[in-house]
Amino acid sequence: MPPHAARFAGTRRRVLAVLLAATCLTAGAPAIARPLDEVTASGVLRVAVYGDNVPFSGEGDAGPRGIDVDIARAIADRLKLRLDLRVVDAGETVDGDFRLNLWRGDLAGSPLADLMLHVPHDRVLATRNEQIFLTTPYFEQRLAFAYHRDRIEGFEGVRDLEGHAVAVEGMSGSDSLVMNAEGGRYRASVKHYRSFDEAAKAYLAGEAPILAGTRAGIEAAIAAAGASRGDNPVVEVPMPGIVRTRWDLGGAVRSDSRDLAYAVGDALSALAAEGRLKAICDAYGVTYAAPQGY
């Protein structure tokens, strides 16, 4: 399973345990999924994306922006539907996010999303959540490192971490990767920050010569700061003993809306073939990584 599937990577967690428990005990009509024909008839596609999840989704000067936001718009356009974008908080688990946004809902009875993006395309996760169905994936997320070329001659393997401070977001997949590499050999070098944004700012300010995170997050942070990619190479290196450093991201719908999932999958495949997914990533300084299934 992806490093963040059990506990969604990063800073966007707000505890939903009380809310979810209350929801489970609340009587009332069950939430109803919207199959493709109902979505089409309404003329609106409701898509949920995570807040505070740069570069995939977050608040910009003119409203939500990011890779997932642009992909949601492109999918809606492809399906000839108006986009109703929902920016949602990440809960303690992806399972809880499915429950709240796709199949049970909240205490207020808010309309459910038809589609949720930035979902780990993971067989175990899908099997554990019978109420949801995964769409075609659209991006391969990868854990990576950036380093200051003027302070480190090269970075070719995990042993190049030796003797260098590493800025990393605490409780993230990258944190787990570095802390457990070679039996915890590099733990003393790790500098934890409350968010990836804080870790990236510390790295760019020279507080640490190495930054650990997702390749997308690192590349976007370097681009946003106007820093040189030549001076801040982004690398992926073998991590002995680490099971998985890459995973696909896709979407999810409720299980009885599979025809919608297939339509979304067709739209994503067309967007990839046309180069639209690459162009969307390029706009945020991110290298497009096609899912392994493509």
Side-chain angles (χ1 to χ4, degrees), residues 94-159:
V94 181
D95 311 65
D97 296 338
F98 291 155
R99 185 163 54 243
L100 186 65
N101 296 292
L102 289 177
W103 64 269
R104 183 180 293 276
D106 59 22
L107 292 173
S110 303
L112 296 169
D114 301 310
L115 170 68
M116 188 171 180
L117 295 180
H118 210 84
V119 173
H121 196 80
D122 184 80
R123 184 174 300 175
V124 174
L125 180 68
T127 301
R128 192 171 68 234
N129 290 273
E130 297 180 354
Q131 301 89 346
I132 64 97
F133 184 74
L134 299 180
T135 72
T136 298
Y138 57 85
F139 188 85
E140 184 186 58
Q141 189 74 288
R142 303 173 179 180
L143 299 183
F145 298 90
Y147 67 95
H148 288 295
R149 191 186 291 277
D150 61 348
R151 297 174 64 181
I152 299 177
E153 292 185 3
F155 199 111
E156 298 179 356
V158 64
R159 295 195 175 182

Side-chain angles (χ1 to χ4, degrees), residues 1-234:
M1 177 174 295
H4 70 324
R7 181 177 173 85
F8 191 80
T11 64
R12 297 156 296 279
R13 301 180 181 85
R14 292 184 182 177
V15 178
L16 295 178
V18 176
L19 173 61
L20 294 174
T23 301
C24 291
L25 296 173
T26 300
I32 304 299
R34 299 205 308 166
L36 179 61
D37 57 349
E38 292 185 21
V39 172
T40 301
S42 75
V44 177
L45 179 67
R46 304 167 183 158
V47 182
V49 299
Y50 287 107
D52 195 17
N53 189 28
V54 176
F56 288 90
S57 47
E59 285 299 324
D61 294 337
R65 69 185 301 270
I67 293 170
D68 284 346
V69 174
D70 292 352
I71 288 175
R73 291 193 181 108
I75 291 171
D77 288 345
R78 174 71 57 172
L79 298 180
K80 296 180 171 53
L81 298 170
R82 180 173 61 83
L83 176 64
D84 177 1
L85 188 71
R86 319 292 186 72
V87 179
V88 302
D89 291 328
E92 285 296 302
T93 66
V94 181
D95 311 65
D97 296 338
F98 291 155
R99 185 163 54 243
L100 186 65
N101 296 292
L102 289 177
W103 64 269
R104 183 180 293 276
D106 59 22
L107 292 173
S110 303
L112 296 169
D114 301 310
L115 170 68
M116 188 171 180
L117 295 180
H118 210 84
V119 173
H121 196 80
D122 184 80
R123 184 174 300 175
V124 174
L125 180 68
T127 301
R128 192 171 68 234
N129 290 273
E130 297 180 354
Q131 301 89 346
I132 64 97
F133 184 74
L134 299 180
T135 72
T136 298
Y138 57 85
F139 188 85
E140 184 186 58
Q141 189 74 288
R142 303 173 179 180
L143 299 183
F145 298 90
Y147 67 95
H148 288 295
R149 191 186 291 277
D150 61 348
R151 297 174 64 181
I152 299 177
E153 292 185 3
F155 199 111
E156 298 179 356
V158 64
R159 295 195 175 182
D160 288 321
L161 294 169
E162 191 79 60
H164 300 294
V166 183
V168 67
E169 176 188 4
M171 300 302 292
S172 67
S174 296
D175 180 26
S176 176
L177 181 150
V178 178
M179 293 289 284
N180 292 304
E182 296 197 344
R185 178 176 177 177
Y186 309 106
R187 290 180 182 176
S189 300
V190 176
K191 297 185 69 173
H192 287 114
Y193 295 86
R194 291 179 298 177
S195 68
F196 175 75
D197 182 58
E198 289 187 9
K201 287 179 178 178
Y203 163 80
L204 290 165
E207 295 178 19
I210 299 173
L211 172 64
T214 63
R215 173 175 278 275
I218 292 171
E219 290 181 338
I222 291 172
S228 166
R229 284 280 292 273
D231 294 335
N232 300 274
V234 182

